[in-house]
Amino acid sequence: MTVENCVNFCINQNFMYAGVEYGQECYCGNVISNGGTSASDSDCSFPCTGNASEHCGAGNRLNLYWSGATPTAPPIIAPSYGLWVSLGCYSDVPATRTLTVSMSVQGGATNTSVQSCADACFSSGYPLAGVEYSRECYCGSTFSNGGAPTPPGDCSMVCSGNSSEFCGGPDRLNVYNYTGANLPSQTNNTQTGSTSSGGGGGGGSSVFPVLSSLPTGWSYNACWVDNAYGRVFQTELPDSETLTVESCIASCSSQGFTLAGLEYSIQCFCGNELVQGAVIASSSDCNMPCSGNATEACGGPNRLSVYSSTGSVTAFAVPTVQTTNLPGNWQYSRCLAEPGAVRVFPYQILFPKNNTAENCLSQCSTFGYPAAGMEFGDECWCGDVADITNNGGTTATETDCSMACSGDPLHLCGGAQRLQLYLWNGNLNTWNRPANIGRYEYLVPGLVPPLLATLGINGKVSFLEKSGTSEYENSTGAYELDLSLVDDFDHAWREMHVKSDVFCSAAVVLPDKAARILNVGGWSLTSTFGVRLYAPDGSPGVNGTNDWEEDPTKLQLQTGRWYPTALVMSNGSVLIMGGETGANAPPNPTLEILPRIPGGSTVLFLDWLQRTDPNNLYPFLHVLPSGRIFVGYYNEARILDPVTFAVVQALPNIPGAVNGFLAGRTYPMEGASVLLPQYAPYTDPITVLVCGGSNSGVALDNCVSIQPEVANPTWAIERMPSKRVMPCMVALPDGTFMIVNGAQQGVAGFGLASDPNLSALLYDPSQPVRSRISILGNTTIARMYHSEATLLSDGRVLISGSDPQTPGLPEELRIEVYIPPYLSSGLTQPVVTVPNTDWAYGGQYQINVQLFQGQTLRVSLVAAVSSTHGNTMGGRTIFPAFSCSGNVCTVTAPPNSRVSPPGWHQLFILDGPTPSHGVFIRIGGDPGSLGNWPDLPGFNPPGV
């Protein structure tokens, strides 16, 4: 969908207006109908699915385009025609007509208009003419059977033969009175019907049901009343001017239906049962000839000639409100009126064939919405109780909700702009609002909006930026921040250098002796093959001398990658997966391994990445306790063998939005993913958590989690207090996670998101599902595309970046920190020293602790990570076993490289809720001998 495609389509259909909506929908017309009014341009914020640089409306918002032609006047109730004068809109009852003579018009039913009906009635000598259902004509000399005036708005159906006029409505007649003196006598006509055998039909016509030569198994059943309480068939086929019983049955049978019904000469209906309290009528009521065979009966006004392939017909009673056997804690509330075009609830789900209270309510509560309603029979709506008041919902008469559910003909699913409203009894989500929420603090002016941030073992933060995004023309794109010098801007930043553009590259901290940062991939051409290494050196207050090492003539990736992910595996080698071959270039649905095998390729094709491009960039990668690899991409997930990379198990699809299972979690629909903490003795299954993402530009408001290695794994869904795309999640020393940054609308990329999310959240896995999220403080700085969150050794969270290239949202150089609640309670941080910082698996190592509160002591290990685009590559939190004697504690290292892949961690101790400063330790050594790689001129391997 693009604006141009929609406009061209509407032009080719001879419409003067074109409108685009929801990013992917196109509408055409010649009038603006149903109360459509102008809205703010900013309301139309969805990117077009075919051109993300264009806007294609939004939810219930159209970007409207006009050809410049003079708009057609809307239809009216014609005040007169010649000597015929309008008497207004009158009620009509099919069984006992207000005007008792059904009349055919010149040209058939598709030519019905005030003029054609009046001419036909005049020719037959009747002074009263009435048009109904857009295509029916009735005549009479007097009003019969209690017909009476009704509001003009009841007659709202446009004439089939004249789009500028109304021709009545359902059981409503536009009536005209002939005021002249030259009316012909009613020769050869009676008050019971016209002698015409045309499409209007009527009593006296020689028409019959078809009793023979039908398709095998089909037979005539009976004449049934339609619309006494509602339409008794749920599927209507297009009107046909050549309709026969045989053609209607053939159409219904080909679609798998067991019933066929014919009405008004030209209408064919299909179904498997009759609904809405259908009852049998007199056979003589089905007296209208089929438009395609004047000897066959095709029903009548609100009468259906019904045929069955089973020999029987099931007719359901008039539907009622379902108040029992509801799922969960749902309770029926009332029939709710919606305020015109504005919808009460924000999320619509269409169930054309299977809308039921159970289906609708279960879907809404699964995604955390405590208010729900069904409407128009096949629509399900989800939201919050507050939406009812905020969006103008009002109580309606219960009889206004009169439509049967599309999947349950015995129960009601609302009506036209009427919701069958249900409310959840109790709390679906508990969002905690603690008294101590911590706070944002401004830290230091910056030099670049970093897209990659990494805390080095030297205690300093390394930043890399997309080339050319700094405000400073002489920016090198690579800097290191000394946190001990933030009050001295001139010395806080150390200039560093990269040789190619790192835009949308990947990075990990290697397990070698120097804890080098490995950066791979990049923006375009040579950059996409980039392999860059930096060994953090220096110390707080003392500059290092190392710089990024890079030489594309000597060391490159095997294939170019833009938006890849990197992971240190349990064997100590580095997995690189996914991306595209360059800026907006073809996909690279492969993986490769570093270091490369001498003389051989390590590239492996992945069909499932090819299939899901371009929605799978920066896939989520985690090493599972089995050593296997979890990969999450777009809205799918699977487990890979760590040696062959064959798929061991395809996991259930990742749930998306309540109304969109195609919502995604990886770039550009960008959410964030972490592993929840592991606890000694490491027998509990590990959990993968994914938060945020986007559904065609509408940010997701949920987190989902799965234990991928249990039997029959399923995703649990937890609703967040607000929507968030491009979030950052950072592991804290106490086993919780902060969720920060991002937007509430759009997708990741330049200029593709709006409505910054300024709130910080805390996710606590120790609490029950749906009670894990606490609402913390707000910032005043928008952190959108290319923003990061990084755990510092003192327990604070560094917040950096934002490069949205969106009007009103600047490139953000300022650096903030978040002071989590555990640092703002007034308690003194404990102190830990670690004599031996190089640990073997299963080894026992002494640490020295000093507690000031003397509360419960815990030890945590938070893996060193490099983060970008919501992807904390290599992230992991472990709570190892330990025992203490006085101020000396003995910690048992994780047992193997599957529980804890080789690498660097920050060791924290916690005195109750309060963490110490972290101390970097290495666990598992360097089994892949990365410290000796690459053995090339210009690179300085630090050794293992």
Side-chain angles (χ1 to χ4, degrees):
M1 179 58 61
T2 67
V3 171
E4 295 80 4
N5 285 345
C6 180
V7 168
N8 289 334
F9 174 81
C10 294
I11 288 173
N12 291 335
Q13 302 297 318
N14 296 315
F15 289 106
M16 68 178 67
Y17 290 119
V20 280
E21 184 172 1
Y22 273 113
Q24 58 187 357
E25 299 176 1
C26 177
Y27 295 89
C28 310
N30 290 317
V31 295
I32 299 173
S33 305
N34 300 316
T37 58
S38 295
S40 170
D41 282 346
S42 61
D43 285 3
C44 292
S45 59
F46 283 20
C48 300
T49 54
N51 185 344
S53 67
E54 297 179 345
H55 284 155
C56 279
N60 297 315
R61 291 294 187 273
L62 285 157
N63 279 114
L64 186 65
Y65 295 84
W66 175 42
S67 70
T70 302
T72 305
I76 61 171
I77 294 178
S80 63
Y81 162 59
L83 296 178
W84 292 86
V85 177
S86 172
L87 299 181
C89 187
Y90 273 69
S91 62
D92 191 28
V93 178
T96 55
R97 290 291 182 185
T98 298
L99 299 179
T100 58
V101 179
S102 174
M103 186 64 64
S104 298
V105 300
Q106 181 97 23
T110 57
N111 191 44
T112 300
S113 65
V114 172
Q115 295 81 1
S116 63
C117 181
D119 289 345
C121 291
F122 177 86
S123 297
S124 296
Y126 293 104
L128 294 177
V131 279
E132 183 171 0
Y133 267 117
S134 84
R135 58 193 310 128
E136 299 173 13
C137 175
Y138 296 92
C139 309
S141 299
T142 61
F143 290 109
S144 304
N145 301 312
T150 65
D154 287 2
C155 289
S156 59
M157 297 183 73
V158 177
C159 299
S160 63
N162 187 342
S163 61
S164 69
E165 300 174 342
F166 288 122
C167 278
D171 299 333
R172 293 295 186 271
L173 285 157
N174 278 119
V175 178
Y176 291 82
N177 180 38
Y178 187 70
T179 59
N182 59 337
L183 193 68
S185 61
Q186 295 177 16
T187 307
N188 296 326
N189 289 286
T190 70
Q191 284 292 94
T192 59
S194 167
T195 58
S196 168
S197 61
S205 297
S206 298
V207 296
F208 306 95
V210 177
L211 303 178
S212 61
S213 301
L214 294 174
T216 302
W218 285 86
S219 61
Y220 177 67
N221 177 262
C223 181
W224 288 79
V225 176
D226 188 25
N227 215 28
Y229 307 100
R231 304 310 296 263
V232 301
F233 274 99
Q234 294 176 302
T235 300
E236 181 178 3
L237 304 184
D239 291 357
S240 171
E241 294 297 331
T242 58
L243 184 69
T244 64
V245 170
E246 292 81 0
S247 68
C248 179
I249 289 176
S251 296
C252 294
S253 179
S254 68
Q255 298 181 48
F257 292 106
T258 61
L259 297 180
L262 303 98
E263 185 171 3
Y264 279 117
S265 299
I266 58 172
Q267 296 176 349
C268 175
F269 297 83
C270 306
N272 294 314
E273 61 272 321
L274 302 182
V275 298
Q276 293 282 10
V279 294
I280 292 178
S282 169
S283 294
S284 61
D285 286 358
C286 289
N287 58 5
M288 295 183 73
C290 296
S291 56
N293 186 337
T295 67
E296 297 180 353
C298 276
N302 287 319
R303 294 297 186 271
L304 283 156
S305 299
V306 175
Y307 292 78
S308 169
S309 67
T310 65
S312 63
V313 172
T314 299
F316 289 104
V318 176
T320 59
V321 177
Q322 184 171 349
T323 58
T324 60
N325 298 320
L326 299 172
N329 291 337
W330 287 102
Q331 293 181 347
Y332 178 65
S333 175
R334 59 194 185 277
C335 182
L336 190 75
E338 298 210 84
V342 177
R343 296 296 193 170
V344 167
F345 296 128
Y347 299 107
Q348 180 195 41
I349 309 162
L350 295 178
F351 289 120
K353 302 294 184 183
N354 62 336
N355 199 26
T356 66
E358 181 176 3
N359 287 349
C360 177
L361 301 181
S362 295
Q363 180 75 352
C364 292
S365 56
T366 295
F367 282 84
Y369 300 101
M374 294 86 74
E375 185 173 3
F376 278 111
D378 61 359
E379 298 179 8
C380 170
W381 291 84
C382 308
D384 291 301
V385 176
D387 293 332
I388 299 171
T389 302
N390 294 342
N391 296 322
T394 57
T395 300
T397 303
E398 284 296 303
T399 53
D400 284 2
C401 289
S402 59
M403 291 187 179
C405 301
S406 63
D408 179 7
L410 290 177
H411 292 111
L412 292 169
C413 279
Q417 295 189 341
R418 295 294 186 270
L419 282 162
Q420 213 83 51
L421 178 65
Y422 292 80
L423 302 176
W424 184 271
N425 182 19
N427 292 325
L428 267 174
N429 314 279
T430 301
W431 296 318
N432 306 300
R433 300 177 184 271
N436 179 7
I437 60 173
R439 64 188 182 277
Y440 279 93
E441 284 187 356
Y442 179 66
L443 183 67
V444 65
L447 298 176
V448 295
L451 61 88
L452 265 158
T454 311
L455 177 67
I457 62 169
N458 58 358
K460 304 177 183 183
V461 183
S462 170
F463 292 113
L464 294 173
E465 69 149 335
K466 175 186 182 295
S467 178
T469 56
S470 174
E471 292 180 4
Y472 305 103
E473 292 183 0
N474 61 346
S475 170
T476 64
Y479 294 89
E480 188 174 63
L481 174 63
D482 190 328
L483 296 163
S484 71
L485 299 175
V486 294
D487 293 330
D488 182 2
F489 176 78
D490 290 337
H491 297 95
W493 293 94
R494 179 165 80 94
E495 178 183 302
M496 302 179 71
H497 308 83
V498 289
K499 295 182 174 65
S500 57
D501 195 341
V502 301
F503 174 33
C504 295
S505 53
V508 289
V509 177
L510 297 180
D512 61 23
K513 186 168 61 176
R516 287 181 299 172
I517 304 169
L518 167 69
N519 179 275
V520 296
W523 161 237
S524 65
L525 304 175
T526 302
S527 295
T528 64
F529 293 85
V531 177
R532 311 165 190 92
L533 291 155
Y534 166 56
D537 65 337
S539 59
V542 178
N543 268 351
T545 58
N546 291 343
D547 205 340
W548 286 92
E549 297 176 352
E550 176 183 8
D551 187 347
T553 66
K554 295 183 175 66
L555 180 64
Q556 287 189 328
L557 294 176
Q558 297 162 73
T559 59
R561 297 182 187 273
W562 188 49
Y563 291 94
T565 300
L567 177 74
V568 177
M569 298 189 297
S570 58
N571 68 355
S573 56
V574 181
L575 167 66
I576 315 293
M577 180 182 289
E580 295 182 339
T581 56
N584 301 310
N588 188 346
T590 68
L591 60 79
E592 61 182 278
I593 305 298
L594 292 177
R596 181 178 181 179
I597 301 170
S601 171
T602 65
V603 176
L604 182 67
F605 173 74
L606 306 170
D607 65 301
W608 37 271
L609 275 187
Q610 182 184 50
R611 173 173 51 79
T612 53
D613 180 81
N615 296 319
N616 59 26
L617 304 183
Y618 279 127
F620 302 132
L621 295 176
H622 302 291
V623 176
L624 300 174
S626 64
R628 293 168 173 169
I629 308 296
F630 170 93
V631 54
Y633 55 99
Y634 181 33
N635 65 352
E636 299 181 11
R638 55 188 64 212
I639 299 173
L640 307 182
D641 182 277
V643 177
T644 65
F645 300 102
V647 175
V648 175
Q649 182 178 3
L651 296 168
N653 273 25
I654 305 172
V658 66
N659 61 339
F661 71 92
L662 293 179
R665 304 287 182 166
T666 52
Y667 184 95
M669 301 179 185
E670 193 176 306
S673 177
V674 295
L675 288 177
L676 296 190
Q678 299 167 270
Y679 294 85
Y682 314 109
T683 54
D684 291 335
I686 201 167
T687 300
V688 176
L689 176 70
V690 181
C691 292
S694 186
N695 178 32
S696 299
V698 179
L700 301 183
D701 64 355
N702 61 60
C703 296
V704 295
S705 58
I706 193 170
Q707 294 179 331
E709 296 197 296
V710 302
N712 302 313
T714 58
W715 292 91
I717 304 173
E718 302 174 83
R719 190 174 166 205
M720 295 188 291
S722 55
K723 296 181 287 187
R724 202 177 296 257
V725 63
M726 300 180 294
C728 297
M729 277 202 293
V730 57
L732 301 183
D734 62 354
T736 63
F737 297 84
M738 279 194 65
I739 305 172
V740 295
N741 302 350
Q744 299 187 81
Q745 182 72 35
V747 295
F750 292 128
L752 300 181
S754 59
D755 193 7
N757 194 321
L758 304 176
S759 171
L761 304 176
L762 188 72
Y763 186 92
D764 185 355
S766 69
Q767 300 302 309
V769 172
R770 291 196 171 181
S771 298
R772 293 177 169 178
I773 295 176
S774 294
I775 300 173
L776 301 185
N778 289 347
T779 182
T780 59
I781 300 175
R783 302 287 184 181
M784 306 279 280
Y785 190 46
H786 291 169
S787 62
E788 296 304 324
T790 306
L791 175 66
L792 302 179
S793 293
D794 59 11
R796 296 178 299 171
V797 176
L798 187 140
I799 310 291
S800 62
S802 190
D803 182 24
Q805 298 189 15
T806 299
L809 297 172
E811 290 182 342
E812 189 56 64
L813 306 187
R814 291 172 291 177
I815 307 294
E816 294 175 284
V817 288
Y818 199 93
I819 314 298
Y822 56 54
L823 293 180
S824 58
S825 60
L827 301 178
T828 303
Q829 289 184 261
V831 176
V832 62
T833 59
V834 186
N836 184 349
T837 59
D838 209 348
W839 294 11
Y841 290 119
Q844 293 189 324
Y845 300 91
Q846 290 186 340
I847 62 174
N848 301 307
V849 305
Q850 184 179 4
L851 308 182
F852 297 96
Q853 283 72 240
Q855 299 185 24
T856 301
L857 176 67
R858 291 182 291 165
V859 178
S860 66
L861 301 167
V862 181
V865 300
S866 188
S867 61
T868 185
H869 292 75
N871 207 320
T872 52
M873 301 183 193
R876 207 174 202 91
T877 302
I878 294 173
F879 285 84
F882 69 94
S883 60
C884 297
S885 176
N887 290 335
V888 177
C889 296
T890 301
V891 182
T892 302
N896 54 56
S897 62
R898 299 181 302 279
V899 168
S900 178
W904 288 84
H905 301 69
Q906 291 190 78
L907 183 147
F908 294 89
I909 65 168
L910 293 110
D911 185 358
T914 310
S916 65
H917 285 221
V919 177
F920 273 102
I921 67 168
R922 183 168 68 151
I923 302 174
D926 184 8
S929 297
L930 292 170
N932 296 326
W933 169 83
D935 186 12
L936 295 169
F939 293 89
N940 295 285
V944 298

